[in-house]
Amino acid sequence: MESEKNKSNKTQFGFSIHWEGLYFNVEGDKKIRKAFFSKEPFFSYKTSALTEKIEKYFKGEKVNFKLKFDLELPRFTKKVLEKVLEIPYGKTRNYGEIAEELQTSPRAIGQALAKNPIVVLIPCHRVISKSGIGGYSYGVRIKKALLRLEGVDIF
DNA sequence: TCCGCCGACTCGT
DNA sequence: ACGAGTCGGCGGA
């Protein structure tokens, strides 16, 4: 039996886009629930304006996604991700700066970003370390590629 | 002086 | 306890 306790959150859209040898996948219903990279495409269908925006983004066009997210996460983690949404396209901040604004430690920021369920659209790749590039859930190679895509050439 | 390594410190999960 | 970090200190180039 399929459980009905899924809050009736049926996926209403989902699509995969090939980029840098990986697939970037987005899924959600009214709001975006997940965005992640994978080796194989996760969805076979595409939809709507969002798809086009994301395709433009990966072609290197400057796009800011003004989007609604569906985040069920601890308060602190959400606060960090919301802060990260304020970082404009092509700009970076470091963990320490954000930590200072939220009166916490850089380590806690990194830990929160590691849980970002909506990568790229919530641009955690724009948060780098003071002395270098810092980490990334899908590998530093992808983080660098994203930054380069946005015109950040410091790596 | 300029790195690179190391230990200490930090704080939400 | 464990990190997608940072700072200060020390030794070698």
Side-chain angles (χ1 to χ4, degrees):
Chain A
M1 321 263 270
E2 303 304 314
S3 87
E4 285 302 314
K5 60 189 173 184
N6 284 351
K7 300 176 202 149
S8 71
N9 267 346
K10 277 185 303 188
T11 294
Q12 291 179 3
F13 66 84
F15 54 87
S16 303
I17 294 176
H18 194 41
W19 181 72
E20 283 285 326
L22 292 177
Y23 289 86
F24 178 66
N25 316 280
V26 184
E27 79 165 297
D29 39 73
K30 285 189 200 300
K31 297 175 181 172
I32 296 170
R33 238 197 328 275
K34 266 186 186 177
F36 57 99
F37 286 101
S38 61
K39 243 185 144 158
E40 300 297 325
F42 224 82
F43 304 103
S44 54
Y45 53 102
K46 302 191 171 192
T47 76
S48 78
L50 178 56
T51 320
E52 287 176 31
K53 266 194 170 179
I54 291 175
E55 279 171 345
K56 280 185 182 176
Y57 176 81
F58 283 118
K59 279 181 202 154
E61 291 183 44
K62 177 172 178 175
V63 176
N64 23 2
F65 310 100
K66 295 167 188 167
L67 301 167
K68 297 286 184 183
F69 303 108
D70 186 7
L71 301 177
E72 297 193 11
L73 294 166
R75 284 186 301 285
F76 176 80
T77 307
K78 247 193 279 190
K79 220 194 299 182
V80 174
L81 294 178
E82 279 161 15
K83 208 71 183 169
V84 165
L85 277 171
E86 296 171 10
I87 307 174
Y89 183 97
K91 303 273 177 137
T92 62
R93 326 244 355 238
N94 60 55
Y95 300 93
E97 289 169 340
I98 296 180
E100 202 173 343
E101 288 179 36
L102 298 181
Q103 315 214 56
T104 181
S105 78
R107 230 63 222 237
I109 301 297
Q111 197 180 223
L113 295 189
K115 295 192 197 97
N116 182 4
I118 303 178
V119 296
V120 179
L121 306 182
I122 298 179
C124 61
H125 58 279
R126 294 179 194 149
V127 186
I128 62 182
S129 113
K130 194 168 185 186
S131 55
I133 192 169
Y136 198 67
S137 352
Y138 297 98
V140 169
R141 182 185 77 84
I142 291 297
K143 186 172 187 175
K144 281 184 188 166
L146 287 168
L147 288 173
R148 209 167 307 137
L149 184 70
E150 297 190 10
V152 179
D153 270 337
I154 50 182
F155 297 109

